[in-house]
Amino acid sequence: MAMTAQPVRPDLETLLQTHGAALHRLARAYAGRTGEQEDLYQEMLLQLWRSLPGFKGTAAPGTWLYRVALNTALTWRRRTSRALATAPVDPEPHAPQASGGRSQSVILDEFLESLAPADRSVLLLYMEGLPNGEIADVTGFTPGAVGVRLHRIKQAFTARYVERG
Amino acid sequence: MKFEDLGAVWKDDAGRPAAIDLAVIRERADGIDRAVRRRDRGETIVALALAPVFGVMAWLATSTLSTVGAAIVAVACLLIAVRLKLARRREPDHALPAVQAVEVQLAAIRAQQRLLGTVAWWYLTPLGVGVILYFAGSPAPVWTKVAYGVAVVVLYGWLLRLNLAAARRNLEPVAIDLERWLDSFRESHGHGVR
């Protein structure tokens, strides 16, 4: 009789030792620098724990972790966006500006905010050092589409912020 | 700053996560799972408990009209329990790739909308017709039967409005939002989605 091998569930504690800081940064990207970053980070951990029994082993543990974290962040962002949609609107939205005089992290935050949700996800995973194939596994795009998006994001960034000498 | 430097800037700036006790997270997760299971069990138990009650009422009824009415309610309770179980909103699967996860959430919201939109046919009409027939077959004076029928129709009409409003107000904005997100994931590179 054929036996089906059970996938070995990843050890969350070990995974977090490797990827905890990356998740924390992901939380910052979607919740901002406010106290909500910690709330979102905890929500990610909660969803990771709840998703653990469903781990099928079809994706590498790291990919699985990024998927859960990204989906949690996207759900969080949608929820807070809907709440913000009913709040008073800032009368002077901040348009992206050239980099002059501002810190690199402020520029990066501003650039991330200006991106569409999908592009923001791709850029965040890229900045974490994930190869195109793994970004594709996390987002659901093809690796080719990830490459095209990254190229377009790079063009947008260069056009806005890179000072020409 | 160059595009290639973004990763280093990003990693430099974001700080480390505060130490979090995983046991606390596990406890919270277990609490949520327990609450979901309790809610699901409660819904099923209520629907299933009413079916035998109306079954006995159908058996003991003294008129054909009341027997038919109670039987309709008993069968409706069973069907409603099955319908609710099939339509029960699953927790979103966070382990799917982002695009598929949003698609699954959107499909679930649309299913919820369909369920609420057709509540008149699978929930309110069978229960309403059943209780009106049951009471119509009783030996009560005609005017009380008419008054009871009108009251049931008004109450069920109000319940129908509540359900349709919930579908429109609570679920439609979420569905539109999810569609917008999906569009953002598909736009200009739709061919690039697996």
Side-chain angles (χ1 to χ4, degrees), chain A residues 33 50 71 142 148-149 154, chain B residues 4 13 33 94 96 189 192:
Chain A
R33 287 166 187 273
R50 296 186 72 204
N71 284 325
T142 61
V148 171
R149 278 182 185 271
K154 183 178 178 177
Chain B
E4 288 73 18
D13 183 55
D33 292 340
H94 287 291
L96 288 172
H189 296 292

Side-chain angles (χ1 to χ4, degrees), chain B residues 80-143:
Chain B
I80 288 167
V82 172
R83 185 85 202 247
L84 285 175
K85 190 167 175 58
L86 291 176
R88 195 159 282 149
R89 200 164 153 184
R90 298 260 165 262
E91 293 279 314
D93 185 354
H94 287 291
L96 288 172
V99 176
Q100 282 95 312
V102 175
E103 283 170 348
V104 169
Q105 284 181 52
L106 182 60
I109 293 286
R110 290 296 183 208
Q112 285 282 111
Q113 283 182 310
R114 277 195 299 278
L115 193 72
L116 288 179
T118 57
V119 76
W121 302 114
W122 63 271
Y123 191 98
L124 296 174
T125 301
L127 290 183
V129 168
V131 294
I132 287 173
L133 285 181
Y134 181 79
F135 198 66
S138 72
V142 174
W143 73 267

Side-chain angles (χ1 to χ4, degrees), chain B residues 10 16 19 29 38 63 75 77 80 83 90 92 94 97 99 102 105 107 134 148 152 175-176 190:
Chain B
W10 178 242
R16 304 285 305 174
R38 207 177 308 129
S63 72
V75 173
C77 284
I80 288 167
R83 185 85 202 247
R90 298 260 165 262
H94 287 291
V99 176
V102 175
Q105 284 181 52
Y134 181 79
Y148 182 79
V152 168
I176 289 172

Side-chain angles (χ1 to χ4, degrees), chain A residues 84-164:
Chain A
L84 285 173
T86 56
V89 179
D90 183 351
E92 290 179 32
H94 308 292
Q97 303 160 350
S99 62
R102 290 170 303 148
S103 77
Q104 292 181 328
S105 60
V106 171
I107 293 167
L108 182 51
D109 281 353
E110 181 190 276
F111 183 60
L112 280 170
E113 273 302 312
S114 73
L115 293 175
D119 287 342
R120 189 184 307 140
S121 308
V122 168
L123 178 59
L124 286 167
L125 297 170
Y126 166 79
M127 290 194 298
E128 290 302 338
L130 270 65
N132 286 10
E134 195 171 354
I135 296 176
D137 280 341
V138 174
T139 54
F141 298 132
T142 61
V146 171
V148 171
R149 278 182 185 271
L150 277 172
H151 179 69
R152 202 175 55 170
I153 295 166
K154 183 178 178 177
Q155 280 182 324
F157 182 82
T158 307
R160 271 187 224 164
Y161 301 108
V162 175
E163 285 150 22
R164 291 166 185 85

Side-chain angles (χ1 to χ4, degrees), chain A residues 32-109:
Chain A
R33 287 166 187 273
T34 60
E36 291 201 339
Q37 177 183 0
E38 294 305 324
D39 293 345
L40 175 52
Y41 179 62
Q42 284 199 31
E43 181 70 21
M44 285 174 177
L45 298 188
L46 190 71
Q47 292 304 338
L48 282 167
W49 190 266
R50 296 186 72 204
S51 300
L52 205 51
F55 180 77
K56 297 182 186 83
T58 49
T63 306
W64 170 82
L65 176 129
Y66 277 113
R67 280 182 184 173
V68 175
L70 180 64
N71 284 325
T72 307
L74 290 174
T75 304
W76 174 284
R77 183 75 174 206
R78 277 195 296 273
R79 216 166 40 212
T80 49
S81 300
R82 277 199 297 276
L84 285 173
T86 56
V89 179
D90 183 351
E92 290 179 32
H94 308 292
Q97 303 160 350
S99 62
R102 290 170 303 148
S103 77
Q104 292 181 328
S105 60
V106 171
I107 293 167
L108 182 51
D109 281 353

